[in-house]
Amino acid sequence: MNKYFLAFTAIAGLSLTSCSSDDDSLELSPCDNCFVEFEVPDSYVFTRNGVSTVSFDGQTTRIKMGQELLSNFNIPTNTLEDLNGMFAHVEGDIDFEEAALNESDKSLRSKVAASADYFSTNATDQAIIRGDLDGFISAQVTDVYPNWDVAATAGTAGQLADGESTRYVNANGLEYNQMFAKSLIGGLMTDQILNNYLSIAVLDEVDNVANNDADVVEEGKDYTTMEHKWDEAYGYAYGLNADQANPNADLGADSFLNEYIERANGDSDFEGIADDIFDAYKLGRAAIVAKDYDIRDLQAEIIKANISKVIAIRAIYYLQNGKTKLEGESPNIGGAFHALSEAYGFIYSLQFTRKPNSADPYFTKEEVDTFLTDLLDDGENGLWNVEADTLDSISEDIAARYDFTVAQAAE
């Protein structure tokens, strides 16, 4: 049994599943019928009548849109219309290099802060969050692009060269591309997985349970609605993997959640977390096929706990990495500000996490806003004035909500 995920033992192609966790911090409750035997495939492969029932094309499309938008952030010839078109794409508009993306009716912005559990009755925060991401794009064009060849200083946007890379920052030393990308991990991928597609309200909506029990598939499709909702949650984690049925073989396939599951898993203190997430996805999907909704729900809680943990691990990692780069007689200002811009986005994403067996995030929007205000010294030249004690304090406050230490996350 590994330290994050419940164990299941494969026996002659079947799995004997124990509904418990050896990590009490996850607060996962045992289910009824704690030993259930049903088929669990080795890979994320599920079929009906010999045809695959797995589908998450929409998630792959949005991740591709995010990749192209991110790659265009640091091209100063782009206009605000160019970048906004990629973020809030309208079907048929020529916003992307890939024709299929232009033909798609999907967009990134429409799914930011759009989960059933957190935002269906919270239009105020939804508008603020979408406005924040709009603002990162707008300020990149209006504040940073005009100063592209100017040396950045406290209070002046421009470029910072650290001998290896050139960073383009605002007057507070922040890189908008990093803030945007890491905030999107929370506001889109994490929110949609944890608070939408793995939500009981979405999985069991209307007749979903009865239809899944009777294997009633969606019109013209090979999957039930419940199966599809679970797959859509899977797609936001693994939509760009070359082998989508065995994604841990090539983690890091995108610049969003997939990459940072890999990064967290690469830390020896959290080795195995990638398997925990994938195995829970796989077992939960198998439980849907077996009509075992207790097992399904436990897997959803395990996914919520571990993806939430990835967000926190990386927030602390970048806070501490930035602190290290600022130390010594020859601080690496460009490298430090790069790391702290990533930290900003991961801290922002904490408001979209989900405590297991709870309706709440690990951190409220108000708590996140306070962290970000502290990080930027209440607006007084931002990162140019940041202090090590502040970075340590935020790191400790984040770690205190989880079952790991700052030292573990900082490696």
Side-chain angles (χ1 to χ4, degrees), residues 3-4 264-265 267-273 309 313 404 408-409:
K3 63 181 179 179
Y4 301 107
N265 193 69
D267 182 334
S268 59
D269 290 298
F270 306 105
E271 185 178 3
I273 195 170
K309 181 177 286 189
I313 290 167
F404 58 84
Q408 287 175 310

Side-chain angles (χ1 to χ4, degrees), residues 18-35:
S18 172
C19 301
S20 62
S21 167
D22 63 343
D23 185 348
D24 293 338
S25 69
L26 298 185
E27 301 176 2
L28 300 179
S29 301
C31 64
D32 296 329
N33 303 318
C34 271
F35 292 94

Side-chain angles (χ1 to χ4, degrees), residues 328-340:
E329 294 182 1
S330 301
N332 180 347
I333 301 297
F337 286 7
H338 176 70
L340 295 176

Side-chain angles (χ1 to χ4, degrees), residues 246-295:
N246 297 284
N248 284 354
D250 68 321
L251 283 176
D254 64 47
S255 301
F256 301 106
L257 185 58
N258 191 279
E259 176 178 352
Y260 292 97
I261 293 173
E262 178 193 39
R263 296 284 186 90
N265 193 69
D267 182 334
S268 59
D269 290 298
F270 306 105
E271 185 178 3
I273 195 170
D275 286 337
D276 298 343
I277 294 169
F278 173 65
D279 287 345
Y281 268 121
K282 183 159 54 78
L283 182 53
R285 182 59 157 80
I288 291 173
V289 174
K291 285 70 171 168
D292 190 326
Y293 305 121
D294 287 332
I295 297 290

Side-chain angles (χ1 to χ4, degrees), residues 27-106:
E27 301 176 2
L28 300 179
S29 301
C31 64
D32 296 329
N33 303 318
C34 271
F35 292 94
V36 179
E37 194 172 73
F38 53 77
E39 288 189 28
V40 180
D42 292 332
S43 304
Y44 199 87
V45 175
F46 299 91
T47 62
R48 177 175 285 107
N49 300 322
V51 178
S52 174
T53 61
V54 177
S55 176
F56 45 82
D57 292 344
Q59 286 62 47
T60 298
T61 293
R62 288 193 178 90
I63 295 172
K64 285 183 176 180
M65 288 177 171
Q67 288 290 119
E68 189 163 341
L69 172 55
L70 189 57
S71 70
N72 274 272
F73 245 87
N74 279 0
I75 299 177
T77 54
N78 277 319
T79 66
L80 183 56
E81 182 181 11
D82 293 333
L83 299 183
N84 279 339
M86 295 179 198
F87 185 43
H89 174 66
V90 175
E91 183 179 3
D93 286 356
I94 310 302
D95 297 316
F96 301 98
E97 291 186 6
E98 186 177 331
L101 299 184
N102 295 324
E103 295 163 4
S104 174
D105 63 354
K106 305 293 189 290

Side-chain angles (χ1 to χ4, degrees), residues 286-307:
I288 291 173
V289 174
K291 285 70 171 168
D292 190 326
Y293 305 121
D294 287 332
I295 297 290
R296 177 203 72 177
D297 293 346
L298 180 56
Q299 305 323 299
E301 297 306 315
I302 292 168
I303 295 167
K304 291 173 186 178
N306 282 302
I307 288 180

